Amino acid sequence: MENRASTNSLEKELGVSVIRRIAAGAEADVYMVRYHGVNAVLKVRCPKLYRSLDLDNRLRRNRTILEAKLIVRATEAGVNTPALLAVSPTHSSLLIELVKGDSLLTKGSSGLIRYSEQVGRLLGRMHKNMITHGDLTPSNIIVSGVQLFIIDFGLGDFTSTLEDKAVDVNLFLKIAETIAPQDSSRLRAQFRDGYIAETSKSHADAVFERLKEIRLRGRYIAERQLQ
Amino acid sequence: MVDAVIGIESTAHTIGVGICSLDGDILYNKWHTYTTSQGGIHPREAARHHARLAPSLVADALGYCRDVSVRPVAVASALGPGLGPCLRTGAVAARALSQSLSLPFLPVNHLVAHVEVARKFCSTSDPVTLFVSGGNTAVVLFRNGRYRMVGETLDIALGNMLDVLGREMGYGFPSGPKVLELAEKGTKMVDLPYTVKGQDMSFSGLLTKCKKLLSSGFSKEDVAKSAVETAFAMVVEVVERTVALSGSNEVSLTGGVARSRRLADMLSKMCSSRGAKLSVVPSELSGDNGGMISYVGSLMYGLVDGVRIDSSKVVPRWRIEQVPIPWRKS
């Protein structure tokens, strides 16, 4: 009931009407909506009742505004990402272009092998433009025809530190390796090739060197004893 | 006569001995925890504490076996991960027991033990496990024959952060429970670094900020509340993301910090919003204990060969991904 009411005032504010909910993500509810005669996506960061109200408001509002800025910047840089149509900071909501397709997660290990080079390219292009994604899991990559689209910049940031870039790479590879453990070295090599194509070999070397360091920082890593 | 495995735990602050039947019933579970009046764990002092208490803990366990007709069939020992001096002390006790009774020696990974003993109390077989203690903060999933840490701390453990914060406030080890108690009396939330990087977390920035707040006059209660609320929100968010990603419908909470009512409350709110269920490990099995080691020993028994004493070295750094789990189907 509470959810429904807040969607109503949001629909009024943005001039949209909800068709149906298409996903209940970890952070946000995602709706298919009608907007000026076209279908679009409405992402609503709903309140999380488990955390304190102040913290919840702060996180949802800040993440929404930052995400809007990142989408615009990524679009300008030529990274495939759905266009931003409208923002509502009061409802922690974004209205975004609808891209048809399925997430890379649904394509399993064969999808990862097929697309890891392209994911490397896209991430390389983002990093070249000072954008880090912060949550580049296969479920945040949409396969649309032969193209990939990057969605959900909710944990992204404007930064160009080696650390943040390596964290991005680490997250994608770590999950990819969990889904397809038997193909991990192939996935990694393909991803790296794509990343180099958009940046440079020396840049990729630096990022992957940092990635090695990050993994060693995890707990109970035997190699760390030798350092 | 019931056949059972004796398990010994000594990875950090606690020396414990447990007995688990081959059917998986934890029959006996006694432990003693090293504490300080000020300061944190000194590994050598903790090991000395363990060495002092191990003989009587083992003798009591053997006495129990005689009294209730339990026949030990193997000795399980938590060989890692943990603090070297503490691990070695428990391992010496386990080796001696294994040799004197001519029983196979089963090396147990301490992390696997926390995860498995919590799973024993779950209603589904494949939960997302949140393991939070003084030494660990990890979100664990079982995939392709191994437990995998899908999210973990990049620096200090959540419990460690609470212990150090408590130490800064002047309490002895373990001071985490004291911080949790103070947090309940806090009235104001102060903005603290909230660091979730993908599935991983960082607590050191939050700790530094809390130390600064304390020295600039903020009340212990408010700092404790802000630290606890922020840190718990971080782990619950990572668990929520793992639940969403894996499609799992149960969350299992384990480790010493599992005793926090606030954490269980937050997780259960998150779970109910996603149609999932929360299982919290019983408090006598949440902290470090020998019962969980003997339980994993009972799972290993018959599937994993015992190791020779001369290759029963301790493994202070031993990741959960390195351990084969033959008792679970891939």
Side-chain angles (χ1 to χ4, degrees):
Chain A
M1 283 306 279
E2 219 175 297
N3 253 342
R4 192 62 220 164
S6 69
T7 312
N8 278 341
S9 80
L10 174 61
E11 287 177 65
K12 208 171 155 193
E13 182 187 325
L14 296 180
V16 301
S17 56
V18 168
I19 300 171
R20 65 192 159 87
R21 188 167 80 172
I22 46 180
E27 226 202 329
D29 280 342
V30 181
Y31 299 90
M32 168 102 75
V33 298
R34 200 74 185 156
Y35 175 69
H36 292 300
V38 294
N39 287 350
V41 171
L42 180 64
K43 176 174 176 176
V44 184
R45 281 189 168 77
C46 18
K48 297 289 181 192
L49 299 174
Y50 61 78
R51 59 193 175 203
S52 89
L53 192 64
D54 291 349
L55 179 61
D56 187 51
N57 286 337
R58 175 185 131 207
L59 289 175
R60 289 188 300 123
R61 188 188 156 86
N62 291 354
R63 285 177 179 179
T64 300
I65 293 171
L66 181 61
E67 182 175 4
K69 291 178 180 167
L70 287 163
I71 291 173
V72 172
R73 185 76 190 91
T75 311
E76 285 170 359
V79 176
N80 276 349
T81 180
L84 179 69
L85 304 174
V87 186
S88 168
T90 42
H91 290 98
S92 295
S93 300
L94 298 177
L95 186 66
I96 310 164
E97 178 196 1
L98 177 72
V99 173
K100 291 203 171 71
D102 299 311
S103 88
L104 184 54
L105 185 68
T106 64
K107 309 284 179 188
S109 47
S110 62
L112 284 167
I113 290 163
R114 184 162 167 204
Y115 293 108
S116 57
E117 197 259 343
Q118 212 179 323
V119 175
R121 275 176 190 272
L122 286 170
L123 192 63
R125 188 172 296 180
M126 281 189 260
H127 286 180
K128 205 166 65 180
N129 287 281
M130 289 196 27
I131 299 166
T132 49
H133 187 278
D135 190 21
L136 196 66
T137 65
S139 51
N140 282 334
I141 300 169
I142 304 287
V143 182
S144 179
V146 290
Q147 296 204 73
L148 296 185
F149 280 78
I150 306 292
I151 61 167
D152 196 355
F153 286 77
L155 290 178
D157 208 349
F158 289 109
T159 138
S160 57
T161 66
L162 216 48
E163 173 75 14
D164 290 331
K165 290 173 187 170
V167 167
D168 258 356
V169 174
N170 183 32
L171 178 66
F172 178 76
L173 289 180
K174 196 168 160 185
I175 293 184
E177 286 161 10
T178 306
I179 294 171
Q182 64 282 11
D183 296 305
S184 58
S185 49
R186 187 171 162 196
L187 287 173
R188 197 185 162 101
Q190 290 177 350
F191 177 92
R192 193 189 163 108
D193 287 344
Y195 193 82
I196 290 173
E198 279 292 331
T199 56
S200 67
K201 177 148 190 318
S202 60
H203 181 258
D205 283 347
V207 170
F208 276 78
E209 191 54 39
R210 180 59 73 99
L211 179 137
K212 215 190 284 171
E213 250 177 63
I214 289 174
R215 292 202 173 176
L216 284 175
R217 255 183 249 157
R219 299 181 83 77
Y220 314 127
I221 303 278
E223 291 86 353
R224 201 170 64 184
Q225 276 174 314
L226 304 173
Q227 302 196 330
Chain B
M1 237 4 176
V2 177
D3 287 352
V5 177
I6 300 183
I8 296 183
E9 156 67 33
S10 73
T11 57
H13 44 66
T14 296
I15 172 95
V17 181
I19 300 171
C20 181
S21 75
L22 291 184
D23 300 332
D25 291 326
I26 298 169
L27 308 170
Y28 178 96
N29 192 16
K30 293 276 159 66
W31 68 85
H32 199 277
T33 300
Y34 162 86
T35 59
T36 69
S37 55
Q38 59 172 29
I41 305 182
H42 189 306
R44 189 191 63 218
E45 294 303 322
R48 199 169 278 173
H49 161 270
H50 298 349
R52 190 162 49 81
L53 287 148
S56 63
L57 279 164
V58 170
D60 289 352
L62 291 176
Y64 170 85
C65 289
R66 274 191 304 274
D67 292 349
V68 299
S69 302
V70 164
R71 179 172 59 191
V73 294
V75 176
S77 176
L79 291 185
L83 305 171
C86 300
L87 289 170
R88 284 190 285 275
T89 308
V92 165
R95 288 180 199 122
L97 191 58
S98 152
Q99 278 190 317
S100 65
L101 302 178
S102 303
L103 298 176
F105 184 103
L106 299 169
V108 170
N109 178 295
H110 176 85
L111 309 170
V112 170
H114 274 291
V115 171
E116 282 295 350
V117 82
R119 194 167 71 93
K120 182 173 152 64
F121 296 92
C122 288
S123 48
T124 61
S125 61
D126 190 25
V128 171
T129 304
L130 172 61
F131 173 27
V132 250
S133 65
N136 297 277
T137 305
V139 180
V140 179
L141 257 186
F142 184 79
R143 288 294 179 267
N144 294 79
R146 302 281 171 114
Y147 283 107
R148 317 236 169 218
M149 281 200 191
V150 292
E152 62 187 303
T153 176
L154 292 169
D155 42 47
I156 56 176
L158 199 165
N160 190 194
M161 184 275 288
L162 296 176
D163 281 331
V164 175
L165 185 56
R167 196 172 77 196
E168 291 292 316
M169 293 174 175
Y171 306 107
F173 178 83
S175 55
K178 186 73 197 169
V179 174
L180 290 171
E181 212 176 282
L182 286 170
E184 287 176 22
K185 297 182 200 127
T187 51
K188 212 173 78 192
M189 276 288 287
V190 187
D191 278 6
L192 293 176
Y194 182 100
T195 319
V196 173
K197 295 180 173 186
Q199 297 277 105
D200 295 331
M201 299 148 268
S202 158
F203 299 100
S204 57
L206 188 157
L207 177 61
T208 306
K209 180 79 186 284
C210 285
K211 286 182 188 169
K212 281 187 187 148
L213 291 174
L214 282 174
S215 59
S216 60
F218 281 81
S219 76
K220 285 178 185 174
E221 289 80 3
D222 286 348
V223 173
K225 181 188 168 76
S226 309
V228 168
E229 287 294 322
T230 308
F232 283 0
M234 283 161 60
V235 288
V236 177
E237 177 167 18
V238 172
V239 175
E240 182 171 29
R241 293 150 61 78
T242 309
V243 170
L245 201 68
S246 67
S248 182
N249 55 10
E250 187 161 6
V251 172
S252 160
L253 175 59
T254 187
V257 187
R259 294 197 188 105
S260 160
R261 281 191 310 266
R262 178 60 182 146
L263 180 57
D265 170 55
M266 287 169 78
L267 281 168
S268 113
K269 278 182 181 145
M270 183 278 286
C271 284
S272 65
S273 77
R274 311 199 70 87
K277 183 179 174 301
L278 173 70
S279 305
V280 183
V281 72
S283 74
E284 69 274 16
L285 293 168
S286 64
D288 291 355
N289 65 88
M292 66 182 189
I293 306 301
S294 63
Y295 174 63
V296 174
S298 78
L299 297 172
M300 290 167 80
Y301 189 80
L303 294 173
V304 177
D305 291 334
V307 298
R308 289 165 48 97
I309 295 301
D310 54 15
S311 51
S312 65
K313 269 181 124 168
V314 301
V315 196
R317 292 183 176 157
W318 189 9
R319 285 194 62 91
I320 201 167
E321 288 91 346
Q322 294 172 275
V323 186
I325 311 292
W327 57 90
R328 282 194 71 171
K329 289 196 189 90
S330 287

